[in-house]
Structures are given as C-alpha cells and as structure tokens.
Amino acid sequence: DLDAQQVAVVLPHVRGTVEVWLNNRLLGVRVWSPYEFDASAMIVRGQNQLRIIVTSTLAPYLATHSPTHYAPTFQEVAGILDQVVIRY
C-alpha cells in the first residue's frame, strides 16, 4: 500500500547544492551529503513530476572563461554525477 510506504529520492553522488521538488512542492534543500529526501507525504498514485535543481560555485565557469587560482580544480566538477534513485 503506497499510503503506508516510505519513499525517498536519493542522489548518491552530487557536487553542489540540491533542491528537490515533487509535484511542484519543495521536498528539501541539501548542501552536503546525504542527498536524501523523504517523499512519502507528497508522492501520489499515478504520475508524479520530479524536478531537481543543482547549483554550484562559479568555478566551472571561471575554469573555462577566466582561469584563476581562486577556483580550485576540485570545484570545477558540478552536478548530478550518478543515477537518481527512488527508494521504496
């Protein structure tokens, strides 16, 4: 029964700040791991809309447009770096 199940959106490997929205409602924001969001109260039977927004520093932009030592190389990679998992 969906009503009794725990449902989570899990992003195993992300670089950046993550906002997760389900059916136009904010599930949460994370700035570090674990990037796990409880969707139990917002998921519905049938079709659901999942939106994930990842924001980062300016490092990826600066690395390609204006190289500087102020943007460390470990910050040049940003985004969702692995599959998104729906755990239930």
Side-chain angles (χ1 to χ4, degrees):
D1 182 21
L2 183 62
D3 299 328
Q5 277 191 318
Q6 289 292 106
V7 179
V9 177
V10 182
L11 294 86
H13 191 187
V14 176
R15 291 291 309 227
T17 299
V18 177
E19 290 180 38
V20 175
W21 296 77
L22 182 63
N23 301 323
N24 294 317
R25 294 174 59 195
L26 181 65
L27 282 181
V29 178
R30 303 283 186 279
V31 295
W32 56 74
S33 64
Y35 293 96
E36 186 169 318
F37 303 85
D38 183 5
S40 304
M42 293 186 200
I43 198 161
V44 297
R45 290 195 183 281
Q47 202 168 30
N48 289 272
Q49 180 186 26
L50 180 65
R51 180 176 56 200
I52 300 170
I53 301 170
V54 179
T55 54
S56 177
T57 67
L58 285 173
Y61 173 82
L62 292 174
T64 57
H65 293 88
S66 178
T68 174
H69 68 278
Y70 294 110
T73 56
F74 70 87
Q75 288 186 354
E76 292 177 16
V77 176
I80 300 171
L81 305 174
D82 202 348
Q83 293 182 20
V84 175
V85 176
I86 307 299
R87 188 179 65 219
Y88 56 94

